[in-house]
PDB file of all heavy atoms in Angstrom:
ATOM      1  N   PRO A  30     -21.976  -3.084 -37.860  1.00  0.00           N
ATOM      2  CA  PRO A  30     -22.556  -2.985 -36.540  1.00  0.00           C
ATOM      3  C   PRO A  30     -24.037  -3.449 -36.507  1.00  0.00           C
ATOM      4  O   PRO A  30     -24.769  -3.308 -37.502  1.00  0.00           O
ATOM      5  CB  PRO A  30     -22.476  -1.505 -36.188  1.00  0.00           C
ATOM      6  CG  PRO A  30     -21.624  -0.855 -37.219  1.00  0.00           C
ATOM      7  CD  PRO A  30     -21.623  -1.749 -38.392  1.00  0.00           C
ATOM      8  N   ALA A  31     -24.452  -3.991 -35.390  1.00  0.00           N
ATOM      9  CA  ALA A  31     -25.826  -4.374 -35.206  1.00  0.00           C
ATOM     10  C   ALA A  31     -26.712  -3.120 -35.359  1.00  0.00           C
ATOM     11  O   ALA A  31     -26.345  -2.046 -34.947  1.00  0.00           O
ATOM     12  CB  ALA A  31     -26.045  -5.008 -33.828  1.00  0.00           C
ATOM     13  N   GLY A  32     -27.872  -3.300 -35.965  1.00  0.00           N
ATOM     14  CA  GLY A  32     -28.790  -2.210 -36.153  1.00  0.00           C
ATOM     15  C   GLY A  32     -28.477  -1.309 -37.349  1.00  0.00           C
ATOM     16  O   GLY A  32     -28.987  -0.209 -37.466  1.00  0.00           O
ATOM     17  N   THR A  33     -27.651  -1.813 -38.282  1.00  0.00           N
ATOM     18  CA  THR A  33     -27.263  -1.024 -39.454  1.00  0.00           C
ATOM     19  C   THR A  33     -28.497  -0.838 -40.359  1.00  0.00           C
ATOM     20  O   THR A  33     -29.233  -1.799 -40.625  1.00  0.00           O
ATOM     21  CB  THR A  33     -26.172  -1.739 -40.199  1.00  0.00           C
ATOM     22  OG1 THR A  33     -24.990  -1.639 -39.449  1.00  0.00           O
ATOM     23  CG2 THR A  33     -25.876  -1.061 -41.565  1.00  0.00           C
ATOM     24  N   GLN A  34     -28.699   0.388 -40.777  1.00  0.00           N
ATOM     25  CA  GLN A  34     -29.813   0.698 -41.687  1.00  0.00           C
ATOM     26  C   GLN A  34     -29.310   0.716 -43.164  1.00  0.00           C
ATOM     27  O   GLN A  34     -28.155   0.918 -43.390  1.00  0.00           O
ATOM     28  CB  GLN A  34     -30.361   2.083 -41.337  1.00  0.00           C
ATOM     29  CG  GLN A  34     -30.905   2.207 -39.947  1.00  0.00           C
ATOM     30  CD  GLN A  34     -32.097   1.377 -39.680  1.00  0.00           C
ATOM     31  OE1 GLN A  34     -32.947   1.228 -40.516  1.00  0.00           O
ATOM     32  NE2 GLN A  34     -32.162   0.745 -38.502  1.00  0.00           N
ATOM     33  N   SER A  35     -30.248   0.506 -44.069  1.00  0.00           N
ATOM     34  CA  SER A  35     -29.906   0.614 -45.460  1.00  0.00           C
ATOM     35  C   SER A  35     -29.479   2.018 -45.798  1.00  0.00           C
ATOM     36  O   SER A  35     -30.055   2.965 -45.334  1.00  0.00           O
ATOM     37  CB  SER A  35     -31.143   0.227 -46.316  1.00  0.00           C
ATOM     38  OG  SER A  35     -30.770   0.032 -47.658  1.00  0.00           O
ATOM     39  N   GLY A  36     -28.372   2.132 -46.576  1.00  0.00           N
ATOM     40  CA  GLY A  36     -27.836   3.456 -46.897  1.00  0.00           C
ATOM     41  C   GLY A  36     -26.689   3.948 -46.028  1.00  0.00           C
ATOM     42  O   GLY A  36     -26.054   4.957 -46.306  1.00  0.00           O
ATOM     43  N   ARG A  37     -26.373   3.218 -44.980  1.00  0.00           N
ATOM     44  CA  ARG A  37     -25.277   3.592 -44.125  1.00  0.00           C
ATOM     45  C   ARG A  37     -23.938   3.495 -44.878  1.00  0.00           C
ATOM     46  O   ARG A  37     -23.760   2.547 -45.663  1.00  0.00           O
ATOM     47  CB  ARG A  37     -25.202   2.672 -42.881  1.00  0.00           C
ATOM     48  CG  ARG A  37     -24.079   3.015 -41.959  1.00  0.00           C
ATOM     49  CD  ARG A  37     -24.070   2.173 -40.723  1.00  0.00           C
ATOM     50  NE  ARG A  37     -23.037   2.632 -39.833  1.00  0.00           N
ATOM     51  CZ  ARG A  37     -23.043   2.367 -38.552  1.00  0.00           C
ATOM     52  NH1 ARG A  37     -23.976   1.650 -37.990  1.00  0.00           N
ATOM     53  NH2 ARG A  37     -22.070   2.813 -37.749  1.00  0.00           N
ATOM     54  N   ARG A  38     -23.091   4.456 -44.652  1.00  0.00           N
ATOM     55  CA  ARG A  38     -21.796   4.464 -45.353  1.00  0.00           C
ATOM     56  C   ARG A  38     -20.685   4.025 -44.320  1.00  0.00           C
ATOM     57  O   ARG A  38     -20.491   4.690 -43.349  1.00  0.00           O
ATOM     58  CB  ARG A  38     -21.475   5.887 -45.813  1.00  0.00           C
ATOM     59  CG  ARG A  38     -22.459   6.317 -46.921  1.00  0.00           C
ATOM     60  CD  ARG A  38     -22.344   7.826 -47.199  1.00  0.00           C
ATOM     61  NE  ARG A  38     -21.031   8.314 -47.463  1.00  0.00           N
ATOM     62  CZ  ARG A  38     -20.534   8.468 -48.696  1.00  0.00           C
ATOM     63  NH1 ARG A  38     -21.231   8.145 -49.742  1.00  0.00           N
ATOM     64  NH2 ARG A  38     -19.306   8.920 -48.871  1.00  0.00           N
ATOM     65  N   ILE A  39     -20.071   2.909 -44.663  1.00  0.00           N
ATOM     66  CA  ILE A  39     -18.994   2.391 -43.844  1.00  0.00           C
ATOM     67  C   ILE A  39     -17.678   2.720 -44.535  1.00  0.00           C
ATOM     68  O   ILE A  39     -17.447   2.282 -45.691  1.00  0.00           O
ATOM     69  CB  ILE A  39     -19.146   0.885 -43.602  1.00  0.00           C
ATOM     70  CG1 ILE A  39     -20.476   0.594 -42.885  1.00  0.00           C
ATOM     71  CG2 ILE A  39     -17.944   0.319 -42.781  1.00  0.00           C
ATOM     72  CD1 ILE A  39     -20.795  -0.859 -42.759  1.00  0.00           C
ATOM     73  N   ARG A  40     -16.791   3.471 -43.842  1.00  0.00           N
ATOM     74  CA  ARG A  40     -15.559   3.961 -44.507  1.00  0.00           C
ATOM     75  C   ARG A  40     -14.380   3.000 -44.290  1.00  0.00           C
ATOM     76  O   ARG A  40     -14.155   2.540 -43.188  1.00  0.00           O
ATOM     77  CB  ARG A  40     -15.186   5.343 -44.011  1.00  0.00           C
ATOM     78  CG  ARG A  40     -13.942   5.838 -44.678  1.00  0.00           C
ATOM     79  CD  ARG A  40     -13.705   7.298 -44.336  1.00  0.00           C
ATOM     80  NE  ARG A  40     -13.311   7.452 -42.973  1.00  0.00           N
ATOM     81  CZ  ARG A  40     -12.914   8.596 -42.407  1.00  0.00           C
ATOM     82  NH1 ARG A  40     -12.874   9.659 -43.159  1.00  0.00           N
ATOM     83  NH2 ARG A  40     -12.578   8.660 -41.181  1.00  0.00           N
ATOM     84  N   LEU A  41     -13.682   2.743 -45.367  1.00  0.00           N
ATOM     85  CA  LEU A  41     -12.412   2.042 -45.296  1.00  0.00           C
ATOM     86  C   LEU A  41     -11.308   3.050 -45.690  1.00  0.00           C
ATOM     87  O   LEU A  41     -11.149   3.351 -46.870  1.00  0.00           O
ATOM     88  CB  LEU A  41     -12.392   0.817 -46.240  1.00  0.00           C
ATOM     89  CG  LEU A  41     -13.224  -0.352 -45.811  1.00  0.00           C
ATOM     90  CD1 LEU A  41     -14.703  -0.182 -46.182  1.00  0.00           C
ATOM     91  CD2 LEU A  41     -12.655  -1.630 -46.355  1.00  0.00           C
ATOM     92  N   ARG A  42     -10.659   3.579 -44.702  1.00  0.00           N
ATOM     93  CA  ARG A  42      -9.684   4.667 -44.883  1.00  0.00           C
ATOM     94  C   ARG A  42      -8.505   4.172 -45.759  1.00  0.00           C
ATOM     95  O   ARG A  42      -7.971   3.110 -45.503  1.00  0.00           O
ATOM     96  CB  ARG A  42      -9.198   5.142 -43.557  1.00  0.00           C
ATOM     97  CG  ARG A  42      -8.424   6.407 -43.628  1.00  0.00           C
ATOM     98  CD  ARG A  42      -8.104   6.921 -42.240  1.00  0.00           C
ATOM     99  NE  ARG A  42      -9.324   6.940 -41.473  1.00  0.00           N
ATOM    100  CZ  ARG A  42      -9.723   7.960 -40.739  1.00  0.00           C
ATOM    101  NH1 ARG A  42      -8.964   8.995 -40.607  1.00  0.00           N
ATOM    102  NH2 ARG A  42     -10.861   7.934 -40.101  1.00  0.00           N
ATOM    103  N   GLY A  43      -8.139   5.006 -46.765  1.00  0.00           N
ATOM    104  CA  GLY A  43      -6.956   4.757 -47.544  1.00  0.00           C
ATOM    105  C   GLY A  43      -7.126   3.631 -48.591  1.00  0.00           C
ATOM    106  O   GLY A  43      -6.179   3.224 -49.218  1.00  0.00           O
ATOM    107  N   LYS A  44      -8.361   3.164 -48.815  1.00  0.00           N
ATOM    108  CA  LYS A  44      -8.629   2.078 -49.781  1.00  0.00           C
ATOM    109  C   LYS A  44      -9.220   2.612 -51.067  1.00  0.00           C
ATOM    110  O   LYS A  44      -9.695   1.825 -51.886  1.00  0.00           O
ATOM    111  CB  LYS A  44      -9.562   1.000 -49.174  1.00  0.00           C
ATOM    112  CG  LYS A  44      -8.961   0.331 -47.979  1.00  0.00           C
ATOM    113  CD  LYS A  44      -7.693  -0.427 -48.302  1.00  0.00           C
ATOM    114  CE  LYS A  44      -7.120  -1.161 -47.100  1.00  0.00           C
ATOM    115  NZ  LYS A  44      -5.866  -1.787 -47.380  1.00  0.00           N
ATOM    116  N   GLY A  45      -9.192   3.880 -51.307  1.00  0.00           N
ATOM    117  CA  GLY A  45      -9.669   4.484 -52.537  1.00  0.00           C
ATOM    118  C   GLY A  45      -8.583   4.610 -53.602  1.00  0.00           C
ATOM    119  O   GLY A  45      -7.633   3.839 -53.591  1.00  0.00           O
ATOM    120  N   LEU A  46      -8.682   5.576 -54.442  1.00  0.00           N
ATOM    121  CA  LEU A  46      -7.697   5.815 -55.522  1.00  0.00           C
ATOM    122  C   LEU A  46      -6.449   6.529 -54.982  1.00  0.00           C
ATOM    123  O   LEU A  46      -6.550   7.344 -54.049  1.00  0.00           O
ATOM    124  CB  LEU A  46      -8.334   6.650 -56.626  1.00  0.00           C
ATOM    125  CG  LEU A  46      -9.504   5.963 -57.377  1.00  0.00           C
ATOM    126  CD1 LEU A  46     -10.076   6.894 -58.396  1.00  0.00           C
ATOM    127  CD2 LEU A  46      -9.040   4.663 -58.024  1.00  0.00           C
ATOM    128  N   PRO A  47      -5.271   6.190 -55.534  1.00  0.00           N
ATOM    129  CA  PRO A  47      -4.062   6.871 -55.112  1.00  0.00           C
ATOM    130  C   PRO A  47      -4.128   8.374 -55.494  1.00  0.00           C
ATOM    131  O   PRO A  47      -4.795   8.792 -56.424  1.00  0.00           O
ATOM    132  CB  PRO A  47      -2.971   6.191 -55.889  1.00  0.00           C
ATOM    133  CG  PRO A  47      -3.662   5.464 -57.006  1.00  0.00           C
ATOM    134  CD  PRO A  47      -5.093   5.293 -56.593  1.00  0.00           C
ATOM    135  N   ARG A  48      -3.398   9.158 -54.719  1.00  0.00           N
ATOM    136  CA  ARG A  48      -3.219  10.602 -55.023  1.00  0.00           C
ATOM    137  C   ARG A  48      -1.838  10.806 -55.539  1.00  0.00           C
ATOM    138  O   ARG A  48      -0.922  10.036 -55.217  1.00  0.00           O
ATOM    139  CB  ARG A  48      -3.468  11.387 -53.740  1.00  0.00           C
ATOM    140  CG  ARG A  48      -4.883  11.352 -53.232  1.00  0.00           C
ATOM    141  CD  ARG A  48      -5.041  12.253 -52.017  1.00  0.00           C
ATOM    142  NE  ARG A  48      -6.266  11.990 -51.310  1.00  0.00           N
ATOM    143  CZ  ARG A  48      -7.375  12.670 -51.526  1.00  0.00           C
ATOM    144  NH1 ARG A  48      -7.388  13.670 -52.418  1.00  0.00           N
ATOM    145  NH2 ARG A  48      -8.490  12.398 -50.858  1.00  0.00           N
ATOM    146  N   PRO A  49      -1.653  11.900 -56.267  1.00  0.00           N
ATOM    147  CA  PRO A  49      -0.301  12.178 -56.834  1.00  0.00           C
ATOM    148  C   PRO A  49       0.722  12.481 -55.707  1.00  0.00           C
ATOM    149  O   PRO A  49       0.344  12.936 -54.633  1.00  0.00           O
ATOM    150  CB  PRO A  49      -0.517  13.378 -57.699  1.00  0.00           C
ATOM    151  CG  PRO A  49      -1.852  13.929 -57.427  1.00  0.00           C
ATOM    152  CD  PRO A  49      -2.630  12.862 -56.699  1.00  0.00           C
ATOM    153  N   ARG A  50       1.955  12.231 -56.034  1.00  0.00           N
ATOM    154  CA  ARG A  50       3.113  12.597 -55.176  1.00  0.00           C
ATOM    155  C   ARG A  50       3.051  11.949 -53.773  1.00  0.00           C
ATOM    156  O   ARG A  50       3.404  12.529 -52.798  1.00  0.00           O
ATOM    157  CB  ARG A  50       3.285  14.100 -55.065  1.00  0.00           C
ATOM    158  CG  ARG A  50       3.688  14.700 -56.429  1.00  0.00           C
ATOM    159  CD  ARG A  50       3.771  16.202 -56.373  1.00  0.00           C
ATOM    160  NE  ARG A  50       2.474  16.870 -56.484  1.00  0.00           N
ATOM    161  CZ  ARG A  50       1.723  16.974 -57.533  1.00  0.00           C
ATOM    162  NH1 ARG A  50       2.025  16.350 -58.629  1.00  0.00           N
ATOM    163  NH2 ARG A  50       0.570  17.593 -57.471  1.00  0.00           N
ATOM    164  N   GLY A  51       2.515  10.711 -53.695  1.00  0.00           N
ATOM    165  CA  GLY A  51       2.585   9.947 -52.456  1.00  0.00           C
ATOM    166  C   GLY A  51       1.657  10.421 -51.358  1.00  0.00           C
ATOM    167  O   GLY A  51       1.716   9.958 -50.235  1.00  0.00           O
ATOM    168  N   ALA A  52       0.702  11.315 -51.649  1.00  0.00           N
ATOM    169  CA  ALA A  52      -0.286  11.732 -50.618  1.00  0.00           C
ATOM    170  C   ALA A  52      -1.206  10.564 -50.258  1.00  0.00           C
ATOM    171  O   ALA A  52      -1.289   9.566 -50.985  1.00  0.00           O
ATOM    172  CB  ALA A  52      -1.115  12.925 -51.167  1.00  0.00           C
ATOM    173  N   GLN A  53      -1.855  10.661 -49.115  1.00  0.00           N
ATOM    174  CA  GLN A  53      -2.719   9.630 -48.600  1.00  0.00           C
ATOM    175  C   GLN A  53      -3.823   9.310 -49.677  1.00  0.00           C
ATOM    176  O   GLN A  53      -4.445  10.193 -50.214  1.00  0.00           O
ATOM    177  CB  GLN A  53      -3.398  10.107 -47.324  1.00  0.00           C
ATOM    178  CG  GLN A  53      -4.497   9.177 -46.760  1.00  0.00           C
ATOM    179  CD  GLN A  53      -3.846   7.918 -46.150  1.00  0.00           C
ATOM    180  OE1 GLN A  53      -2.694   7.853 -45.843  1.00  0.00           O
ATOM    181  NE2 GLN A  53      -4.725   6.897 -45.953  1.00  0.00           N
ATOM    182  N   PRO A  54      -4.002   8.006 -50.003  1.00  0.00           N
ATOM    183  CA  PRO A  54      -5.041   7.645 -50.957  1.00  0.00           C
ATOM    184  C   PRO A  54      -6.405   8.033 -50.467  1.00  0.00           C
ATOM    185  O   PRO A  54      -6.625   8.255 -49.281  1.00  0.00           O
ATOM    186  CB  PRO A  54      -4.920   6.153 -51.105  1.00  0.00           C
ATOM    187  CG  PRO A  54      -3.628   5.763 -50.492  1.00  0.00           C
ATOM    188  CD  PRO A  54      -3.282   6.857 -49.516  1.00  0.00           C
TER     189      PRO A  54
END
C-alpha cells in the first residue's frame, strides 16, 4: 500500500510451514 513504513508486516495467509494432520499452514 501507498505510505508503507519500514517494518510493516504484510501477511500472506497459509504460505508458512505446514502443520500436522492437514491443519491450516
Side-chain angles (χ1 to χ4, degrees):
T33 291
Q34 301 294 321
S35 194
R37 181 177 185 160
R38 294 167 53 93
I39 301 173
R40 181 170 70 173
L41 286 84
R42 191 174 309 228
K44 298 298 183 184
L46 295 176
R48 293 182 192 265
R50 294 176 281 288
Q53 175 73 17

